[in-house]
Amino acid sequence: MSKPLRIGNLEAKIPVIQGGMGVGISLSGLAGSVASCGGIGVISTAQIGWREPDFRKNPFEANFRAIEKEIKKAREIAKGGIIGVNIMVATQRYEEYVKTAVKAGVDLIISGAGLPVDLPKYVAGTKTKIAPIVSSLKSLNVICRMWERKYKTAPDLVVIEGPKAGGHLGFSREELDTFTEEAYDEVIRSIIEKVKEYGEKFAKKIPVVVAGGIYDRKDMEHAMDLGADGVQMGTRFVTTKECDASEAYKQTYIQAKKEDIRIVQSPVGMPGRAIANPFLERVKKEKCKISHCYKCIVTCDQKEIPYCITEALVNAAEGRVNDGLLFCGANAYRSEKIETVEEIMKEFA
């Protein structure tokens, strides 16, 4: 039996957080199902409003509207379970995304892709719990010192995202090429130790979950042996009946071989992990025509980028997989069949 994951007054019976996956991969369907099975379901807010009729013209308004809709729908599916959102710090108008999710009554905000140094200010006076994603002891220290100095607070939860994660990664290409599992286990231990110190200072238990490369119960047990309180897992949930991605998207995971999983340079300036496909081959050779800016990420320069990441991710989510960017974790090749969320959660219970 797994021990429950407690984040303040929130309790997940199974210590599994489903990782936020955008664009359109983890919405209310997946998040609500994970929450109803005793885990924590997480909606990605990245370009969440792409299906709204005015998305092209008013991307922010469309996204804010969709955040409210998806949280409400997830709640209906969750049967009282815990619903979170993942909001990237690098998102344009980040503060408004956070405030929209808080207003919609979300239980937890997980935030990475940058340092969420002012996140406590945006949730002040609310019940919403906050969790930074960190990849190193240095980034944890920067965030915790800032939160302590400016807001006299500490995280409610810390997510350690390792180099095997999917999507955008908090490591340089060189680090990704040279890391060993043993060395990163030491990083995890050092972060857990430091989080304990901050917890003692603020007289609260700050749970730590490990993300990146978690695929089965054995992976979870390894993380727990290092001192973690739970795990965050994204890739395994993609090939579920309840995942919000298209059938074609799910099939690319099932068909992928180990050698198809590549480190790519994202147009927003970070390395990422994705499945090799005709689209990635094409953009190596030629720049795509970018006719419109969807105002997604602060680090994106329309004049310099080889393709629009919003369009590439929307294409993938909607099933145009040969024209899309298929983010994945290092273990995507282990996907062999479509499962249900309930079957996966039973394995981790």
Side-chain angles (χ1 to χ4, degrees):
M1 279 283 286
S2 300
K3 270 168 61 179
L5 173 61
R6 291 192 180 88
I7 308 166
N9 62 340
L10 301 175
E11 181 177 302
K13 288 189 185 70
I14 301 170
V16 171
I17 299 177
Q18 160 255 312
M21 297 172 283
V23 170
I25 310 303
S26 64
L27 298 171
S28 53
L30 179 56
S33 302
V34 172
S36 78
C37 290
I40 297 178
V42 177
I43 294 163
S44 166
T45 65
Q47 301 297 55
I48 188 171
W50 97 93
R51 290 181 295 201
E52 295 289 307
D54 59 341
F55 176 65
R56 195 176 166 88
K57 208 167 118 208
N58 305 308
F60 295 113
E61 289 75 3
N63 286 337
F64 299 150
R65 200 182 311 124
I67 287 171
E68 289 177 11
K69 282 185 188 172
E70 291 296 329
I71 290 172
K72 189 167 180 276
K73 278 199 285 191
R75 282 254 177 261
E76 287 160 13
I77 301 165
K79 304 189 194 104
I82 302 166
I83 297 294
V85 289
N86 180 297
I87 308 177
M88 296 189 294
V89 180
T91 308
Q92 288 195 37
R93 290 169 63 175
Y94 171 72
E95 180 181 346
E96 288 170 77
Y97 278 84
V98 172
K99 287 181 173 174
T100 302
V102 170
K103 196 171 141 226
V106 82
D107 298 311
L108 170 70
I109 291 172
I110 297 174
S111 208
L115 302 177
V117 288
D118 290 316
L119 185 54
K121 180 167 75 175
Y122 309 146
V123 303
T126 75
K127 287 181 182 165
T128 302
K129 304 284 186 283
I130 50 176
I133 298 175
V134 300
S135 295
S136 66
L137 182 58
K138 186 183 170 190
S139 55
L140 174 85
N141 274 325
V142 169
I143 293 163
C144 287
R145 281 181 194 142
M146 290 284 275
W147 286 16
E148 184 181 4
R149 198 178 76 233
K150 287 176 81 174
Y151 305 110
K152 308 207 169 5
T153 193
D156 298 303
L157 164 80
V158 170
V159 178
I160 306 173
E161 195 166 277
K164 288 183 168 184
H168 289 118
L169 303 166
F171 300 89
S172 69
R173 209 171 247 270
E174 189 190 2
E175 286 170 325
L176 291 166
D177 289 340
T178 56
F179 99 98
T180 64
E181 282 192 45
E182 294 72 29
Y184 201 72
D185 283 355
E186 281 310 308
V187 173
I188 291 170
R189 284 194 189 96
S190 69
I191 294 171
I192 290 170
E193 268 314 299
K194 187 52 81 174
V195 171
K196 241 184 229 149
E197 283 176 35
Y198 278 105
E200 282 161 15
K201 201 182 267 191
F202 284 88
K204 68 176 186 177
K205 160 77 178 150
I206 306 172
V208 177
V209 303
V210 169
I214 308 293
Y215 196 84
D216 59 18
R217 187 171 180 112
K218 199 167 133 244
D219 297 327
M220 176 174 86
E221 284 167 359
H222 177 68
M224 302 300 218
D225 288 345
L226 296 174
D229 301 284
V231 291
Q232 179 177 286
M233 182 168 76
T235 292
R236 178 81 185 268
F237 286 116
V238 171
T239 50
T240 57
K241 206 164 113 263
E242 298 87 348
C243 177
D244 300 277
S246 67
E247 198 53 41
Y249 190 103
K250 297 174 190 182
Q251 288 303 324
T252 59
Y253 274 51
I254 290 169
Q255 288 154 19
K257 297 178 179 65
K258 194 171 185 176
E259 59 271 21
D260 296 328
I261 296 167
R262 308 274 168 83
I263 299 296
V264 298
Q265 192 60 32
S266 153
V268 301
M270 295 179 242
R273 183 174 276 110
I275 295 174
N277 68 345
F279 173 75
L280 284 180
E281 289 309 307
R282 217 163 48 239
V283 297
K284 267 189 214 161
K285 300 182 197 114
E286 59 190 67
K287 190 174 170 0
C288 293
K289 185 172 179 287
I290 298 163
S291 56
H292 185 75
C293 179
Y294 293 90
K295 314 248 185 319
C296 61
I297 300 289
V298 278
T299 52
C300 180
D301 179 354
Q302 201 182 332
K303 292 189 289 296
E304 299 295 319
I305 56 171
Y307 62 91
C308 168
I309 194 163
T310 291
E311 283 183 3
L313 291 170
V314 167
N315 282 346
E318 291 185 342
R320 295 183 294 282
V321 291
N322 289 336
D323 295 310
L325 176 61
L326 296 146
F327 274 150
C328 70
N331 286 316
Y333 70 93
R334 289 171 68 180
S335 313
E336 288 171 352
K337 61 182 192 293
I338 300 290
E339 305 175 88
T340 65
V341 164
E342 190 180 2
E343 285 163 353
I344 293 171
M345 295 304 281
K346 274 184 180 154
E347 182 187 324
F348 286 83

